[in-house]
Amino acid sequence: MKSLTDPSQALSTGLAKIRTELHVPDGFPADVVAAAEAAAKRVPDQHADRRAMPFVTLDPAASTDLDQAFSIEASGGDLLLHYAIADVAWFVEDGDAVDLEAWTRGETFYLPDGKAGLYPPVIAEGAASLLPDGPRPAVIFTVRIAQDGATKLDGAERAIIQSRAKLAYDSVKASDVPAGFAEMALRMAMNEQRRGASRVDPPEQEVERLADGTYRLSFRPLLQSEQDNAALSLAANMAIADAMLAHHTGLFRVMSGPDAFKVQRLRNAAQALGLSWPASTGLRDYQRTLDPTDPRQAALMLEIRHASPGASYQPYHDGVVPWHEAMAATYAHATAPLRRLADRYVVRCALAIANGQPVPQAVTDAFARLPKAMGRADSRASQINHAAIDLAEAIMLRGREGEIFKAVVTDFVDHGVRVQLADMPVVATVKASGLRQGDGLTLRLVLADPDQRSIVFEPV
C-alpha cells in the first residue's frame, strides 16, 4: 500500500476530468429526485412482519446502500439461510422516472472520491437500504444448504425486517455474526471444490480514499470476512438460478472458460514464475491451490482472470442450459438490486415462481433487453476503474522521472510486456522483447503525466 502525495490536487482534478470524459452521472434530474422522494414515502402493505428475526448486515464500513441482511438457523443437518434483499421494486415501478433513469445507468459507478448511484440516495441509502435505524421492506429468500453444500430455494416472501447490527468487514468478530456463518461458508467452499469450480479472487489494484482525505493505491487481497460473506450471496444466487431454470424463465450470468491455447500460456506463465503445476492437474483444480498473499501466485491469479472471457447476461432459451464456467454451475445475479439494474428483475421473477405466481410480463420483457444494457454498464464501469488507477499511478510517480525501478514480467501484450513494479502497486506496459513471464528487469521512468493518465518506462 502506498499513500498518494497530491498537494496540487491533481487527483481531484483528474477524477473530475474522468467523470466528464466517461459521462459519469452527476446527481439526478429534478423529476427523478421528485419521483424518488415520493416513492420513498410509500408504506409497505404487502409484507409479512418479520421484525423478530435476528438479521444483521456485513459490508464495507463506509457503505450505506445495503442490499443484503442475513439470519441463519439449523434445520436438522441442513442450514437455512434467510437472506433478506432490499425490496427495490416496492419503490420503483415499471416506466416511472426513477426506473427510466436506472435503465440509462445500468449500475452504480464507483470512483475514489465518491459514487454515481443507480438510484437516488433517498431510496438507495434511505428507504430501501437495510440499515439498522428502522424497519425496512425486503424480499426474504430462504435457502437450504445441505451438509455437502448443495443449495435449494425453499421459499420467498415480501417482509418487513429490522436489522440488528451494521457489521463491517475489517472489524467483525465471530461472536457478531449468526451461529452457522462460518460453517455455511465452509460448506459452500466444499461444494465449489466438488463441482470443480474455478472461481479466483486475486488481489485487486484499487485507489482508496482514507478518513483524513488522502488516498492510497494498493493491491488488496479479500479479507476472510469478505470471502465468507460472498458465500452467502453465492448460495442464494445459485438456488435462485436453479429455480428459474426449472421454471423455464429467468436471466442468467454466463461465462465460458479459457481455450486450450490460453491454458498452455498460463502453464508457461506458472513455469516462468517458478510455480509448480503438475501436468496431470487441470486449471480448475490448480487455481484453487493458489495463495493471493504470495506475489508470484497472485500474479498468476491475475493472468488467469485476464485469460478468461468476461461474464455476460443471458435470458432463458428453450433447450439451452446457461452455464458459468468459473462457478461450474447455473448462476444468476439477484442479491444487489440497489447497485445492479438486472437484480431487481431477477428478484421479482424468483419471488413470483417461489409463490406459484406467473412471472410479470414486464419482467420477461426486461430479460430480453437487459443483456445489452448491463453489458454497456459493465464496460463503462471497467473504463472508469482503469482510468482512476492510471491516474493514481501517474500521480504517485510524478517527479520521479529518471529514477530506476525493479519490476517483474507478468504477461505479454502487443509490442511488449506487462510488468509489475517490485516495491509499488503499479502495473505498466513496457516495449521490450526476449523476456519470459516471471523475468525480473530494471526500468527507468521516462514520463509520468497525470493529465494524460500515462506512465512510460524503458528497460535499462
Side-chain angles (χ1 to χ4, degrees), residues 377-402:
D378 285 347
S379 175
R380 194 173 177 190
S382 179
Q383 288 180 299
I384 292 168
N385 182 60
H386 287 142
I389 290 173
D390 290 346
L391 172 64
E393 290 179 335
I395 291 173
M396 178 177 288
L397 292 167
R398 180 184 49 185
R400 302 185 64 176
E401 288 85 352

Side-chain angles (χ1 to χ4, degrees), residues 123-406:
I123 291 176
E125 300 174 54
S129 180
L130 303 182
L131 292 160
D133 59 358
R136 296 291 197 277
V139 176
I140 301 177
F141 292 105
T142 297
V143 180
R144 183 176 295 273
I145 294 97
Q147 290 180 322
D148 64 356
T151 62
K152 178 179 179 294
L153 183 63
D154 265 13
E157 65 172 353
R158 272 183 152 162
I160 299 296
I161 72 160
Q162 172 69 64
S163 173
R164 304 290 178 84
K166 180 180 182 292
L167 307 176
Y169 290 137
D170 59 1
S171 61
V172 65
K173 302 186 294 293
S175 59
D176 295 332
V177 294
F181 178 69
E183 170 63 21
M184 185 172 290
L186 178 61
R187 291 185 183 190
M188 292 305 298
M190 292 173 58
N191 188 263
E192 282 196 349
Q193 186 171 3
R194 180 177 60 81
R195 298 194 316 269
S198 55
R199 185 168 59 96
V200 294
D201 294 307
E204 295 287 351
Q205 191 182 18
E206 66 175 23
V207 185
E208 175 188 10
R209 188 172 188 173
L210 305 180
D212 62 1
T214 62
Y215 295 85
R216 180 169 62 193
L217 178 65
S218 65
F219 282 113
R220 189 183 67 81
L222 290 180
L223 299 171
Q224 187 61 50
S225 58
E226 291 178 89
Q227 298 179 52
D228 291 348
N229 195 46
L232 306 186
S233 290
L234 177 64
N237 285 330
M238 288 178 58
I240 288 169
D242 287 343
M244 292 192 300
L245 182 61
H247 285 79
H248 299 181
T249 185
L251 181 72
F252 302 90
R253 192 74 166 151
V254 297
M255 188 178 81
S256 58
D259 58 28
F261 173 76
K262 288 183 178 178
V263 171
Q264 184 57 52
R265 284 191 62 182
L266 290 171
R267 285 188 174 275
N268 295 340
Q271 182 178 6
L273 289 166
L275 303 176
S276 175
W277 182 351
S280 59
T281 303
L283 175 61
R284 284 184 180 179
D285 293 331
Y286 177 66
Q287 63 187 350
R288 287 198 301 272
T289 69
L290 298 174
D291 179 3
T293 63
D294 179 284
R296 295 179 303 157
Q297 296 182 57
L300 185 62
M301 293 173 77
L302 287 168
E303 293 314 311
I304 292 172
R305 174 168 288 184
H306 294 152
S308 299
S312 59
Y313 290 88
Q314 177 182 303
Y316 174 80
H317 296 292
D318 286 335
V320 177
V321 177
W323 195 250
H324 195 295
E325 180 67 20
M327 298 295 181
T330 298
Y331 188 67
H333 273 167
T335 56
L338 289 173
R339 290 170 281 170
R340 289 189 301 248
L341 173 66
D343 294 40
R344 169 158 55 100
Y345 293 92
V346 174
V347 167
R348 292 173 65 186
C349 176
L351 180 63
I353 62 178
N355 290 281
Q357 300 170 353
V359 177
Q361 188 61 45
V363 172
T364 300
D365 292 344
F367 286 160
R369 299 166 53 206
L370 280 164
K372 183 176 181 179
M374 295 305 298
R376 184 170 58 246
D378 285 347
S379 175
R380 194 173 177 190
S382 179
Q383 288 180 299
I384 292 168
N385 182 60
H386 287 142
I389 290 173
D390 290 346
L391 172 64
E393 290 179 335
I395 291 173
M396 178 177 288
L397 292 167
R398 180 184 49 185
R400 302 185 64 176
E401 288 85 352
E403 290 189 26
I404 302 300
F405 297 84
K406 298 293 185 181

Side-chain angles (χ1 to χ4, degrees), residues 419-437:
V419 302
Q420 180 181 322
L421 298 192
D423 63 349
M424 299 179 75
V426 171
V427 175
T429 298
V430 178
K431 292 182 179 180
S433 59
L435 296 167
R436 300 177 304 168
Q437 286 170 307

Side-chain angles (χ1 to χ4, degrees), residues 205 303 306 386 389-390 393 397 407-421 425-433 435 441-447 453-459:
Q205 191 182 18
E303 293 314 311
H306 294 152
H386 287 142
I389 290 173
D390 290 346
E393 290 179 335
L397 292 167
V408 176
V409 176
T410 61
D411 195 15
F412 300 99
V413 296
D414 290 341
H415 310 298
V417 293
R418 184 182 292 115
V419 302
Q420 180 181 322
L421 298 192
V426 171
V427 175
T429 298
V430 178
K431 292 182 179 180
S433 59
L435 296 167
L441 70 164
T442 303
L443 303 173
R444 177 184 291 109
L445 179 63
V446 178
L447 174 69
R453 301 191 293 273
S454 175
I455 54 176
V456 178
F457 288 95
E458 64 181 8

Side-chain angles (χ1 to χ4, degrees), residues 36-96:
E37 290 175 346
K41 298 175 183 177
R42 292 175 186 160
V43 178
D45 59 10
Q46 300 177 17
H47 299 68
D49 187 348
R50 299 290 182 256
R51 287 176 292 178
M53 296 179 69
F55 283 102
V56 297
T57 62
L58 180 57
D59 296 273
S63 293
T64 52
D65 50 347
L66 308 186
D67 293 283
Q68 313 124 9
F70 62 95
S71 178
I72 299 170
E73 66 173 305
S75 176
D78 296 341
L79 292 173
L80 291 182
L81 167 64
H82 302 293
Y83 212 33
I85 305 301
D87 191 1
V88 180
W90 181 254
F91 301 101
V92 182
E93 296 183 344
D94 297 316
D96 70 13

